[in-house]
Amino acid sequence: MFKSRAITFILITLMIDAIGIGIVFPIMPDLMNRVGAGDTGQGAFWGGLLMAAYAGALFLCGPIVGSISDAVGRRPILIAALVMLSLDYVIMALADSFWLLLLGRTLAGLAGATYITATAYIADISTPTEKAKNFGLIGAAFGIGFVLGPAIGGIAAEISISAPFWIAAVLSAANALFGAFVLPESLTPEKRRPFGKRDLNPFKSIFDAFRFPGLAVPLLCIFIFEFANMVYPTLWAFWIREVFGWSTLYIGLSLAAYGVLLAFVQAGLMPIFIRWIGDYRTLLLGMISALIGMIGFGFTATVTALVIFILLAALSDLVPALITAMASNQADEDRQGVVQGVIASLSSVAAVLSPLVMTVIFQASVDGEGTYMPGAPYFFSAALVLVMMPLVFRLRGHASV
């Protein structure tokens, strides 16, 4: 009863988080226009800078937040993060300049404890053999959020460019209130560890995690894959508008369709694949899907091709949950928070650097001064996935089944 109630709340929390994130994606080009960020290429660059600010704040605070949750418990951190997210969306709704948007995104990065602490919470209440499946449920919750978020964003933006942010603010605040009444604590006092000054250094936490036996390879894999996979949230709206000329509504619907597929893959297909072929072969399936999908998007110029390769993109999202489970299985119970914080920080470093790199490649490929190739960032991402494959082969011994 306790476990099912807790997992349900965590999944709702992450779904609302994903709604808040996904609600922004389809309106990003129009949002950049509102603050005077320029044409499609320039707007993509400034939008990437916003994403980098979010990720940078999350990188600095991720291991710290994870360590605090190891010391005081998961529940208070989760609720505080939801309150801060609500504040962020209010700022985004009121912002009339790029710098206010930047402030809002930085606050959202500080509130990244939602995901970090939620995954640590799931690790607390899962056995080693349950972790891949339960982390897959996290992906499914995000998938549902990405169904609702872009659809709400695309539709609400037809009324006002600020409307999606007000909706996200209300959802985050309501969930914080809900959690204050129903969420039990998952980390018992005897399993907590003291928080010290050394935990305030995010670099130390990351270096320590890499020195921990069995963690270096999965952590490096997470970093490379997240760097490559950031091509989708960074450029999807700008790429779709450049290649197909779609409106905000249709961009939102395309993202919602991807969210449906993501939820189906994570909650439906992942447990089946793990049962049939095991964690490791399922990971290889996700990697191959990622490689083919990214190459395919690089060449895509028709809606038919878009539909085909979005299916492979959804299958590629098997990868993060499986590698996260493999890393979690290498850590002790009293270090799940800091390990998840380090994973979030590495993902954040990727999310700081990747938008800056991807948007520069995209801008150069559509500015008319060189070869016109809007799919160039996808080719670059595919190359990263290919480089990552030798590391993935070393993860065979990390799988639980």
Side-chain angles (χ1 to χ4, degrees), residues 182-197:
V182 306
L183 183 66
E185 178 56 61
S186 65
L187 191 65
T188 56
E190 62 270 16
K191 292 181 179 179
R192 298 176 189 179
R193 65 183 184 87
F195 179 84
K197 292 181 180 179

PDB file of all heavy atoms in Angstrom, residues 182-197:
ATOM      1  N   VAL A 182      -0.073  13.897   1.371  1.00  0.00           N
ATOM      2  CA  VAL A 182      -0.156  12.455   1.110  1.00  0.00           C
ATOM      3  C   VAL A 182       1.187  11.750   1.001  1.00  0.00           C
ATOM      4  O   VAL A 182       1.233  10.523   1.079  1.00  0.00           O
ATOM      5  CB  VAL A 182      -0.964  12.178  -0.185  1.00  0.00           C
ATOM      6  CG1 VAL A 182      -2.332  12.836  -0.122  1.00  0.00           C
ATOM      7  CG2 VAL A 182      -0.199  12.619  -1.426  1.00  0.00           C
ATOM      8  N   LEU A 183       2.302  12.480   0.843  1.00  0.00           N
ATOM      9  CA  LEU A 183       3.561  11.796   0.548  1.00  0.00           C
ATOM     10  C   LEU A 183       4.269  11.334   1.814  1.00  0.00           C
ATOM     11  O   LEU A 183       4.637  12.152   2.662  1.00  0.00           O
ATOM     12  CB  LEU A 183       4.493  12.728  -0.240  1.00  0.00           C
ATOM     13  CG  LEU A 183       5.826  12.104  -0.676  1.00  0.00           C
ATOM     14  CD1 LEU A 183       5.584  11.002  -1.696  1.00  0.00           C
ATOM     15  CD2 LEU A 183       6.755  13.163  -1.252  1.00  0.00           C
ATOM     16  N   PRO A 184       4.507  10.042   1.986  1.00  0.00           N
ATOM     17  CA  PRO A 184       5.298   9.552   3.125  1.00  0.00           C
ATOM     18  C   PRO A 184       6.789   9.685   2.832  1.00  0.00           C
ATOM     19  O   PRO A 184       7.201   9.828   1.676  1.00  0.00           O
ATOM     20  CB  PRO A 184       4.876   8.082   3.226  1.00  0.00           C
ATOM     21  CG  PRO A 184       4.521   7.706   1.818  1.00  0.00           C
ATOM     22  CD  PRO A 184       3.974   8.945   1.158  1.00  0.00           C
ATOM     23  N   GLU A 185       7.596   9.623   3.868  1.00  0.00           N
ATOM     24  CA  GLU A 185       9.047   9.674   3.699  1.00  0.00           C
ATOM     25  C   GLU A 185       9.571   8.280   3.351  1.00  0.00           C
ATOM     26  O   GLU A 185       9.110   7.285   3.907  1.00  0.00           O
ATOM     27  CB  GLU A 185       9.713  10.184   4.990  1.00  0.00           C
ATOM     28  CG  GLU A 185      11.231  10.235   4.932  1.00  0.00           C
ATOM     29  CD  GLU A 185      11.733  11.056   3.778  1.00  0.00           C
ATOM     30  OE1 GLU A 185      11.429  12.274   3.716  1.00  0.00           O
ATOM     31  OE2 GLU A 185      12.422  10.492   2.909  1.00  0.00           O
ATOM     32  N   SER A 186      10.509   8.206   2.413  1.00  0.00           N
ATOM     33  CA  SER A 186      11.032   6.912   1.977  1.00  0.00           C
ATOM     34  C   SER A 186      12.357   6.549   2.639  1.00  0.00           C
ATOM     35  O   SER A 186      12.726   5.367   2.686  1.00  0.00           O
ATOM     36  CB  SER A 186      11.241   6.921   0.453  1.00  0.00           C
ATOM     37  OG  SER A 186      12.243   7.853   0.087  1.00  0.00           O
ATOM     38  N   LEU A 187      13.080   7.541   3.148  1.00  0.00           N
ATOM     39  CA  LEU A 187      14.413   7.292   3.700  1.00  0.00           C
ATOM     40  C   LEU A 187      14.338   7.345   5.220  1.00  0.00           C
ATOM     41  O   LEU A 187      14.223   8.414   5.819  1.00  0.00           O
ATOM     42  CB  LEU A 187      15.405   8.333   3.176  1.00  0.00           C
ATOM     43  CG  LEU A 187      16.886   8.064   3.448  1.00  0.00           C
ATOM     44  CD1 LEU A 187      17.359   6.804   2.721  1.00  0.00           C
ATOM     45  CD2 LEU A 187      17.735   9.262   3.026  1.00  0.00           C
ATOM     46  N   THR A 188      14.438   6.187   5.850  1.00  0.00           N
ATOM     47  CA  THR A 188      14.337   6.126   7.302  1.00  0.00           C
ATOM     48  C   THR A 188      15.580   6.752   7.951  1.00  0.00           C
ATOM     49  O   THR A 188      16.657   6.788   7.347  1.00  0.00           O
ATOM     50  CB  THR A 188      14.200   4.667   7.768  1.00  0.00           C
ATOM     51  OG1 THR A 188      15.312   3.915   7.266  1.00  0.00           O
ATOM     52  CG2 THR A 188      12.913   4.053   7.236  1.00  0.00           C
ATOM     53  N   PRO A 189      15.455   7.249   9.180  1.00  0.00           N
ATOM     54  CA  PRO A 189      16.583   7.953   9.830  1.00  0.00           C
ATOM     55  C   PRO A 189      17.871   7.138   9.889  1.00  0.00           C
ATOM     56  O   PRO A 189      18.965   7.682   9.730  1.00  0.00           O
ATOM     57  CB  PRO A 189      16.038   8.247  11.236  1.00  0.00           C
ATOM     58  CG  PRO A 189      14.562   8.346  11.041  1.00  0.00           C
ATOM     59  CD  PRO A 189      14.220   7.327   9.987  1.00  0.00           C
ATOM     60  N   GLU A 190      17.757   5.829  10.115  1.00  0.00           N
ATOM     61  CA  GLU A 190      18.982   5.033  10.238  1.00  0.00           C
ATOM     62  C   GLU A 190      19.732   4.880   8.910  1.00  0.00           C
ATOM     63  O   GLU A 190      20.905   4.497   8.899  1.00  0.00           O
ATOM     64  CB  GLU A 190      18.654   3.650  10.819  1.00  0.00           C
ATOM     65  CG  GLU A 190      17.731   2.804   9.972  1.00  0.00           C
ATOM     66  CD  GLU A 190      16.260   3.019  10.307  1.00  0.00           C
ATOM     67  OE1 GLU A 190      15.953   4.037  10.973  1.00  0.00           O
ATOM     68  OE2 GLU A 190      15.441   2.178   9.905  1.00  0.00           O
ATOM     69  N   LYS A 191      19.065   5.176   7.788  1.00  0.00           N
ATOM     70  CA  LYS A 191      19.718   5.066   6.477  1.00  0.00           C
ATOM     71  C   LYS A 191      20.235   6.414   5.966  1.00  0.00           C
ATOM     72  O   LYS A 191      20.776   6.493   4.858  1.00  0.00           O
ATOM     73  CB  LYS A 191      18.749   4.474   5.449  1.00  0.00           C
ATOM     74  CG  LYS A 191      18.399   3.023   5.711  1.00  0.00           C
ATOM     75  CD  LYS A 191      17.466   2.474   4.651  1.00  0.00           C
ATOM     76  CE  LYS A 191      17.147   1.007   4.917  1.00  0.00           C
ATOM     77  NZ  LYS A 191      16.211   0.453   3.898  1.00  0.00           N
ATOM     78  N   ARG A 192      20.084   7.465   6.762  1.00  0.00           N
ATOM     79  CA  ARG A 192      20.548   8.779   6.334  1.00  0.00           C
ATOM     80  C   ARG A 192      22.028   8.953   6.694  1.00  0.00           C
ATOM     81  O   ARG A 192      22.566   8.239   7.524  1.00  0.00           O
ATOM     82  CB  ARG A 192      19.701   9.875   6.985  1.00  0.00           C
ATOM     83  CG  ARG A 192      18.237   9.792   6.575  1.00  0.00           C
ATOM     84  CD  ARG A 192      17.360  10.803   7.274  1.00  0.00           C
ATOM     85  NE  ARG A 192      15.956  10.531   7.003  1.00  0.00           N
ATOM     86  CZ  ARG A 192      14.948  11.225   7.496  1.00  0.00           C
ATOM     87  NH1 ARG A 192      15.192  12.275   8.300  1.00  0.00           N
ATOM     88  NH2 ARG A 192      13.702  10.910   7.216  1.00  0.00           N
ATOM     89  N   ARG A 193      22.652   9.909   6.034  1.00  0.00           N
ATOM     90  CA  ARG A 193      24.052  10.190   6.312  1.00  0.00           C
ATOM     91  C   ARG A 193      24.212  11.693   6.523  1.00  0.00           C
ATOM     92  O   ARG A 193      23.449  12.494   5.995  1.00  0.00           O
ATOM     93  CB  ARG A 193      24.952   9.714   5.169  1.00  0.00           C
ATOM     94  CG  ARG A 193      24.749  10.431   3.854  1.00  0.00           C
ATOM     95  CD  ARG A 193      25.631   9.856   2.755  1.00  0.00           C
ATOM     96  NE  ARG A 193      25.482  10.628   1.519  1.00  0.00           N
ATOM     97  CZ  ARG A 193      26.172  11.714   1.227  1.00  0.00           C
ATOM     98  NH1 ARG A 193      27.073  12.178   2.095  1.00  0.00           N
ATOM     99  NH2 ARG A 193      25.983  12.358   0.102  1.00  0.00           N
ATOM    100  N   PRO A 194      25.202  12.101   7.298  1.00  0.00           N
ATOM    101  CA  PRO A 194      25.371  13.527   7.599  1.00  0.00           C
ATOM    102  C   PRO A 194      25.708  14.334   6.344  1.00  0.00           C
ATOM    103  O   PRO A 194      26.346  13.839   5.411  1.00  0.00           O
ATOM    104  CB  PRO A 194      26.543  13.541   8.593  1.00  0.00           C
ATOM    105  CG  PRO A 194      26.642  12.151   9.107  1.00  0.00           C
ATOM    106  CD  PRO A 194      26.167  11.256   8.014  1.00  0.00           C
ATOM    107  N   PHE A 195      25.261  15.585   6.341  1.00  0.00           N
ATOM    108  CA  PHE A 195      25.592  16.522   5.266  1.00  0.00           C
ATOM    109  C   PHE A 195      26.692  17.445   5.763  1.00  0.00           C
ATOM    110  O   PHE A 195      26.560  18.071   6.810  1.00  0.00           O
ATOM    111  CB  PHE A 195      24.356  17.333   4.875  1.00  0.00           C
ATOM    112  CG  PHE A 195      24.609  18.339   3.783  1.00  0.00           C
ATOM    113  CD1 PHE A 195      24.561  17.960   2.456  1.00  0.00           C
ATOM    114  CD2 PHE A 195      24.906  19.664   4.085  1.00  0.00           C
ATOM    115  CE1 PHE A 195      24.793  18.877   1.442  1.00  0.00           C
ATOM    116  CE2 PHE A 195      25.148  20.590   3.086  1.00  0.00           C
ATOM    117  CZ  PHE A 195      25.092  20.199   1.753  1.00  0.00           C
ATOM    118  N   GLY A 196      27.799  17.513   5.024  1.00  0.00           N
ATOM    119  CA  GLY A 196      28.928  18.337   5.444  1.00  0.00           C
ATOM    120  C   GLY A 196      29.334  19.351   4.396  1.00  0.00           C
ATOM    121  O   GLY A 196      28.762  19.413   3.303  1.00  0.00           O
ATOM    122  N   LYS A 197      30.339  20.148   4.728  1.00  0.00           N
ATOM    123  CA  LYS A 197      30.804  21.184   3.807  1.00  0.00           C
ATOM    124  C   LYS A 197      31.317  20.602   2.500  1.00  0.00           C
ATOM    125  O   LYS A 197      31.197  21.206   1.433  1.00  0.00           O
ATOM    126  CB  LYS A 197      31.917  22.010   4.473  1.00  0.00           C
ATOM    127  CG  LYS A 197      31.447  22.872   5.631  1.00  0.00           C
ATOM    128  CD  LYS A 197      32.609  23.672   6.231  1.00  0.00           C
ATOM    129  CE  LYS A 197      32.128  24.526   7.390  1.00  0.00           C
ATOM    130  NZ  LYS A 197      33.250  25.301   7.993  1.00  0.00           N
TER     131      LYS A 197
END
